[in-house]
Amino acid sequence: MSSLRPRRSCLYMPGANAKALDKARTLPADTLIFDLEDAVAPEAKADARDAIVATMAAGGYGKREIVIRANALSTPWGHDDVKAAAIAAPDGVLFPKIDSAADIEAADKALRDAGAPPSTAIWVMIETPKSILNIGEIARAAERTRLTTFVMGTNDLAKDMRAAQTPGREAFLAALSLTVIAGRAYGLTLIDGVYNDIPNTEGFEAICRQGLALGFDGKTLIHPSQIETCNAVFAPPPEEVAWARGVIAAFADPANAGKGVLKVDGKMTELLHLEQAKRVVAVAEAIEAMGAS
Ligand code: COA
Ligand code: MG
């Protein structure tokens, strides 16, 4: 079940930073995002593109999922980025500055035209005010394209909204929740935005917890020091896994055959909880398998 692949920690690194691309082979991030966009200067784009293709050909990334962030198709680099991605065949190409469902269709066509394998999914940045206004239609494009994942681009959104990035993210709660609602309606994976203040570990943990509480599956990161906390926050805690195993065992008990509602550990437990419990166990097992790499 690909939707249950762990994506707790999705670490960005500039495609122009050879040291970071190499270091990523040993970092415990679930997903690596090799960036060609905001973190790469215009004059370094072509070399960064070549470096990403070469590093992926060299391999050594184990079970880590690999995503390439392309430049927008409207820029001078976008289509060349997609062509390079078609050769490198990452798990996903992350398209920035998406405004509408038509942009998703354009991304889908660009991947197809470039001959990218069907296994390369479309991830998109949700980072423009228009994308928030059009979020339902954008999410629905997943029904007819390779779109699988939304990534919040909170820095760009803050810039365009002219809103302040406060610790509680008050200015962005509407956008974050709308994105979660739209994404869940169409079965997408949802990744929260980055936290810029690298030394502030307390603030980082709090914002990871907020993202989890809002419904996100994981978070994008900018520095290796953020991985461990993020992995811990976005993994189901041991007591939740124990609860889930208990619920599964209770419904599997022949004495409860055919029942839709039970009492497990004193709590009313319905078939919807069984569904939730199965998901929790599947996620925990997927995380365990990641660690065994
Ligand atoms: N991915 C992989 N490795 C990284 C990394 C990243 N995002 N950020 C830092 N590292 C590595 C460094 O290369 C260094 O490796 P070393 O110990 O082998 O020398 C180590 O981690 C410590 O790095 P540090 O000195 O603390 O950071 P820095 O000053 O080299 O870099 C940033 C700071 C912010 C420039 C860097 O973390 C970065 O580029 N982050 C990602 C930015 C990005 O991709 N933004 C786009 C999306 S918002
Ligand atoms: Mg950006």
Side-chain angles (χ1 to χ4, degrees), residues 13-19 21 35-36 39-41 44-45 47-49 51-52:
M13 63 208 66
N17 184 341
K19 202 170 169 192
L21 293 177
D35 191 23
L36 288 169
V40 180
K45 301 267 191 206
D47 286 348
R49 194 186 290 135
I52 289 174

Side-chain angles (χ1 to χ4, degrees), residues 36-286:
L36 288 169
E37 201 222 5
D38 284 342
V40 180
E43 50 283 6
K45 301 267 191 206
D47 286 348
R49 194 186 290 135
D50 293 346
I52 289 174
V53 173
T55 205
M56 286 190 63
Y61 291 100
K63 291 182 183 160
R64 294 167 192 82
E65 183 174 43
I66 297 191
V67 172
I68 296 176
R69 185 164 76 169
N71 289 281
L73 293 174
S74 57
T75 68
W77 312 286
H79 283 279
D80 287 339
D81 292 348
V82 170
K83 280 183 204 148
I87 295 165
D91 297 293
V93 175
L94 174 54
F95 290 89
K97 314 289 187 309
I98 290 293
D99 281 335
S100 65
D103 289 341
I104 307 289
E105 274 149 18
D108 203 61
K109 181 171 183 317
L111 282 173
R112 234 185 6 256
D113 290 350
S119 56
T120 298
I122 293 177
W123 291 35
V124 295
M125 299 299 300
I126 299 299
E127 60 184 348
T128 69
K130 279 187 186 148
S131 70
I132 302 303
L133 293 177
N134 295 328
I135 195 70
E137 283 306 301
I138 292 173
R140 195 152 73 100
E143 293 181 338
R144 54 185 189 277
T145 65
R146 308 175 182 209
L147 174 64
T148 63
T149 306
F150 282 163
V151 178
M152 293 308 307
T154 34
N155 284 332
D156 273 287
L157 196 55
K159 171 176 145 277
D160 286 3
M161 287 172 65
R162 292 191 211 139
Q165 301 209 49
T166 54
R169 295 198 286 182
E170 289 81 1
F172 307 99
L173 292 176
L176 294 167
S177 285
L178 275 172
T179 302
V180 169
I181 291 164
R184 292 289 173 234
Y186 294 100
L188 302 182
T189 297
L190 303 165
I191 312 295
D192 200 357
V194 300
Y195 187 70
N196 301 326
D197 189 1
I198 297 165
N200 185 350
T201 54
E202 244 173 68
F204 176 68
E205 178 166 351
I207 216 155
C208 283
R209 292 201 181 284
Q210 185 196 37
L212 177 74
L214 286 168
F216 286 95
D217 297 300
K219 188 166 179 68
T220 42
L221 308 178
I222 50 170
H223 193 273
S225 63
Q226 297 180 322
I227 299 171
E228 205 180 316
T229 300
C230 189
N231 279 346
V233 169
F234 283 97
E239 57 276 15
E240 193 179 340
V241 180
W243 163 84
R245 291 196 199 283
V247 169
I248 292 168
F251 276 100
D253 185 340
N256 293 327
K259 288 189 187 163
V261 60
L262 307 175
K263 198 158 68 177
V264 180
D265 292 336
K267 292 196 190 103
M268 180 185 79
T269 307
E270 300 177 306
L271 285 169
L272 73 95
H273 297 110
L274 175 62
E275 231 177 281
Q276 252 177 323
K278 282 182 179 165
R279 187 174 183 285
V280 168
V281 169
V283 169
E285 284 174 356

